[in-house]
Amino acid sequence: MAETKPYRPNVGVALFNASGHVLIGRRFKDDGPEIVLPGLEWQMPQGGIDASENPRQAVMRELWEETGAKDAEYLDETDWLTYEFPPYSGPPSHRLAKFRGQRQKWFALRFTGRDDDIDPLQSRNGQPAEFDQWRWERLDRLVDLVVPFRREVYRAVARQFAKFAR
């Protein structure tokens, strides 16, 4: 059944600060098939691409919606990467239940704002907050902080964007 479902178009953000660390947020709730496991609540910002958007527009919107950050410069992007959602037995009406997983394009951005600009707890564009905390982290540590079904994508992102890390 899952093989017949489409992937959800999605963007991910590797936001690098001047020290070469990336912004991660701690998810504080499950969202349907996007299951959060204890001890593995951290991830980089990511989100769906709206029908009228191209990926570069979507990545800036998602960055702002999830973190409040607006000031960032484009560095690089990946090809499309995919991951499968884990088995989901929740309501079939959930907005993500119609998808088998996510098809993502990841962007490396250099943060040019101030840490005070980052506020993941505020709702923006009618979207509820997804993160209750944030921090800067080394890119090479992220695979150990995310849920297992995202790890291969995070490995690929870390390999491609290692040149921006320090």
Side-chain angles (χ1 to χ4, degrees), residues 2-3 7 33-34 82-87 100-102 149-150 153:
E3 299 82 35
Y7 286 102
E34 292 260 286
T82 60
Y83 69 81
E84 309 273 328
F85 290 138
R100 70 189 286 184
Q102 305 219 65
F149 59 91
R150 287 196 181 115
V153 166

Side-chain angles (χ1 to χ4, degrees), residues 5-6 8 27 29-36 83 85-102 127-128 130 150:
K5 293 180 181 181
R8 177 179 180 236
R27 289 189 64 163
K29 60 183 177 181
D30 283 342
D31 185 18
E34 292 260 286
I35 296 165
V36 176
Y83 69 81
F85 290 138
Y88 175 65
S89 58
S93 61
H94 188 280
R95 67 182 174 80
L96 296 178
K98 62 186 173 195
F99 299 106
R100 70 189 286 184
Q102 305 219 65
Q127 300 297 314
E130 291 187 32
R150 287 196 181 115

Side-chain angles (χ1 to χ4, degrees), residues 11-73:
V11 291
V13 186
L15 183 69
F16 288 88
N17 67 9
S19 300
H21 292 92
V22 292
L23 183 141
I24 59 172
R26 188 178 81 168
R27 289 189 64 163
F28 63 95
K29 60 183 177 181
D30 283 342
D31 185 18
E34 292 260 286
I35 296 165
V36 176
L37 299 173
L40 302 173
E41 300 93 349
W42 295 93
Q43 69 177 57
M44 291 182 279
Q46 65 175 54
I49 300 172
D50 293 340
S52 62
E53 285 182 310
N54 69 50
R56 282 204 192 182
Q57 291 169 320
V59 77
M60 295 309 293
R61 177 187 49 76
E62 283 293 335
L63 176 63
W64 175 73
E65 282 180 1
E66 293 192 4
T67 71
K70 293 185 204 173
D71 299 318
E73 298 172 351

